[in-house]
Amino acid sequence: MGIKEIVKEKYGQAALRGSRPRGSSCCGTSERIDCCSVDPITSNLYDENQTGEIPNEAVLASLGCGNPTALAQLHAGETVLDLGSGGGIDVFLSARRVGPTGKAYGLDMTDEMLALARENQRKSGIPNVEFLKGEIEDIPLPDSSVDVVISNCVINLSADKDKVLRETFRVLKPGGRFAVSDVVVRGDVPEQVRRSMEMWVGCIAGALQDSEYIGKLAKAGFDDIDIEPTRVYSIEDARQFLTGEGIDVDAIAAQIQNKFMSAFIRAVKPIAKECCGPACCG
């Protein structure tokens, strides 16, 4: 099974979890994504003021590693695109930030997630939202059509990150902002971790090194690139998501201690310089 198929399967399971009635439980099941565990990456990302504004099902289906809407500078009237929008939590929060004159798009390739997100939109009554089916490597929007692109621990899931960043650059307006949360690696990571497909789905094996992420953004055309750590994971955090994969955590502890971090990654699509006269156009 390829990366894309694994991602669809696992995020489809998360959508089903998010669509369970309140009070239902997945405790005691064999699901890989366990609603009863405390995941050091996905837990405690949103405060009560935010989660109180949106359907609980959108919160339950969230598998992000950060809160891009809290750090992205969104303004009234702007158009926002969320790559890998899942149950819609970041789309709904963005829609409220940009107000009725703005718009928030959510892009997802998983049918179950799209169905859940659209049901959550119906429940929330937020009108300035639209969910699109598609892949983040081939965004179904015109050139220069959005002001801000956000994403919450999804770009790591792509096997072609360069194409994702090129597409993101294409759909952004000049001066538009790239404002995503993602897992980033400092230094080298054991090959045993990189080979684990489950870790890829968990945003770990697909994580780029911080310098590599910066290089790819620059290659795509972005300026003003910055990586701000928001949560650095300890060996005990790593123990939770590696032990279940049959990895001897103690044997590789020194190699992974503080290597992984959630980060907020910013960049800007530059505005083309206007020609100032015959000399500069020659």
Side-chain angles (χ1 to χ4, degrees):
M1 185 182 294
I3 292 293
K4 193 169 294 184
E5 288 71 27
I6 291 174
V7 171
K8 283 184 177 180
E9 177 184 342
K10 296 303 179 182
Y11 278 72
Q13 291 175 9
L16 294 175
R17 179 190 72 188
S19 63
R20 287 190 179 98
R22 294 190 186 198
S24 65
S25 173
C26 68
C27 294
T29 73
S30 60
E31 289 177 319
R32 175 67 182 86
I33 301 172
D34 185 356
C35 69
C36 302
S37 65
V38 178
D39 190 311
I41 295 179
T42 63
S43 62
N44 302 318
L45 301 176
Y46 302 91
D47 61 38
E48 292 182 1
N49 290 331
Q50 292 177 309
T51 57
E53 298 177 347
I54 56 179
N56 188 54
E57 290 79 4
V59 180
L60 290 175
S62 175
L63 293 174
C65 61
N67 184 349
T69 62
L71 295 174
Q73 296 179 345
L74 303 181
H75 306 291
E78 290 188 319
T79 299
V80 182
L81 168 65
D82 181 17
L83 301 180
S85 49
I89 183 169
D90 293 314
V91 179
F92 300 134
L93 293 174
S94 296
R96 292 190 181 280
R97 293 273 299 279
V98 300
T101 60
K103 184 165 186 176
Y105 288 102
L107 175 65
D108 206 284
M109 68 176 181
T110 309
D111 289 329
E112 295 89 344
M113 277 295 191
L114 287 167
L116 176 62
R118 288 165 179 155
E119 176 61 15
N120 288 336
Q121 182 186 5
R122 185 190 66 78
K123 292 178 180 177
S124 68
I126 302 175
N128 56 328
V129 164
E130 182 177 349
F131 290 100
L132 308 171
K133 182 174 182 179
E135 300 177 357
I136 62 176
E137 299 87 356
D138 188 16
I139 299 172
L141 286 173
D143 296 356
S144 304
S145 56
V146 301
D147 297 289
V148 186
V149 170
I150 66 171
S151 185
N152 200 343
C153 205
V154 169
I155 293 177
N156 278 334
L157 302 178
S158 174
D160 193 345
K161 298 173 180 64
D162 289 311
K163 189 172 183 183
V164 174
L165 298 179
R166 289 196 302 269
E167 275 290 276
T168 301
F169 188 89
R170 177 185 65 80
V171 300
L172 278 170
K173 300 174 184 177
R177 288 106 63 204
F178 178 88
V180 311
S181 292
D182 228 335
V183 172
V184 178
V185 180
R186 290 168 166 163
D188 296 326
V189 177
E191 184 62 26
Q192 186 179 10
V193 176
R194 291 287 183 187
R195 288 198 303 264
S196 171
M197 304 298 269
E198 290 289 343
M199 290 298 94
W200 191 302
V201 175
C203 305
I204 300 302
L208 294 173
Q209 291 187 6
D210 48 5
S211 59
E212 188 178 8
Y213 215 131
I214 291 170
K216 288 181 179 295
L217 282 166
K219 183 180 178 182
F222 287 98
D223 285 343
D224 300 329
I225 302 165
D226 178 67
I227 296 181
E228 175 188 349
T230 54
R231 186 181 291 183
V232 179
Y233 305 116
S234 69
I235 186 62
E236 290 309 312
D237 292 329
R239 189 181 303 279
Q240 294 183 51
F241 56 69
L242 292 177
T243 299
E245 298 302 313
I247 296 174
D248 186 345
V249 179
D250 293 322
I252 62 172
Q255 302 174 64
I256 61 176
Q257 176 71 23
N258 297 330
K259 288 290 185 71
F260 297 104
M261 63 180 182
S262 290
F264 186 64
I265 303 159
R266 299 178 177 89
V268 176
K269 179 175 180 175
I271 299 173
K273 295 180 180 179
E274 295 183 3
C275 183
C276 56
C280 71
C281 298

